[in-house]
């Protein structure tokens, strides 16, 4: 990749990546990496694209989370406090138990696609 620079980097949820790869595969043949990514993303439960984007926005606005952390929460679909603690383990901003419970309540309002 000589001569190429990253201009912008933004975390996006896996469900959005899956949607983009599926749209691309309608007109093009996928390479090995794209096939592996698509197969990996198809194995996990997730939210719809619209729900994922809405959850990320609420996590950033209501809980003041970084975009990367909000995307991790949406991608990993934590089911309990222990799962959330793992996500926040290396974060500089510590989230208390009450906020984590509110995050779990927020996630429960949305349907999961299996």
């Amino acid at each position: 990749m000589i001569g190429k620079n990253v201009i912008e980097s933004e975390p996006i949820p896996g469900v959005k990546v899956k949607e983009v790869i599926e749209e691309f595969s309608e007109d093009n043949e996928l390479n090995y990496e794209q096939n592996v990514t698509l197969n990996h993303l198809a194995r996990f439960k997730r939210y719809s694209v619209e729900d994922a984007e809405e959850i990320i926005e609420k996590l950033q606005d209501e809980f003041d989370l970084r975009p990367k952390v909000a995307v991790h929460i949406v991608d990993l679909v934590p089911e309990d406090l222990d799962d959330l603690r793992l996500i926040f383990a290396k974060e500089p901003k510590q989230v208390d138990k009450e906020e984590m419970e509110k995050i779990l309540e927020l996630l429960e309002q949305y349907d999961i696609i299996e």
Side-chain angles (χ1 to χ4, degrees), residues 2-112:
I2 297 173
K4 295 188 178 187
N5 295 324
V6 175
I7 296 173
E8 185 178 346
S9 177
E10 174 185 344
I12 59 172
V15 66
K16 182 68 175 171
V17 173
K18 184 176 184 285
E19 180 184 76
V20 169
I21 292 175
E22 287 174 342
E23 287 176 9
F24 179 78
S25 70
E26 292 174 4
D27 299 327
N28 303 291
E29 187 173 333
L30 298 179
N31 65 26
Y32 174 77
E33 290 83 5
Q34 292 163 335
N35 272 318
V36 169
T37 302
L38 189 58
N39 289 335
H40 176 77
L41 292 170
R43 293 181 184 182
F44 299 100
K45 57 186 176 180
R46 63 198 174 283
Y47 298 103
S48 69
V49 174
E50 296 81 19
D51 286 350
E53 290 173 352
E54 187 175 323
I55 293 168
I56 290 169
E57 185 176 317
K58 285 184 179 182
L59 288 171
Q60 290 176 329
D61 293 343
E62 294 176 24
F63 300 99
D64 194 32
L65 298 179
R66 296 183 313 145
K68 180 180 175 181
V69 177
V71 169
H72 279 306
I73 291 171
V74 168
D75 283 345
L76 297 175
V77 190
E79 296 178 354
D80 55 27
L81 290 175
D82 291 334
D83 293 343
L84 268 179
R85 281 190 190 100
L86 290 172
I87 294 170
F88 290 115
K90 292 189 176 184
E91 280 301 302
K93 178 189 176 215
Q94 294 300 314
V95 179
D96 61 8
K97 182 179 177 183
E98 292 158 359
E99 280 189 323
M100 285 194 267
E101 288 172 346
K102 289 179 184 177
I103 291 171
L104 289 174
E105 289 173 11
L106 171 69
L107 297 177
E108 288 174 1
Q109 297 174 6
Y110 296 91
D111 294 325
I112 296 173

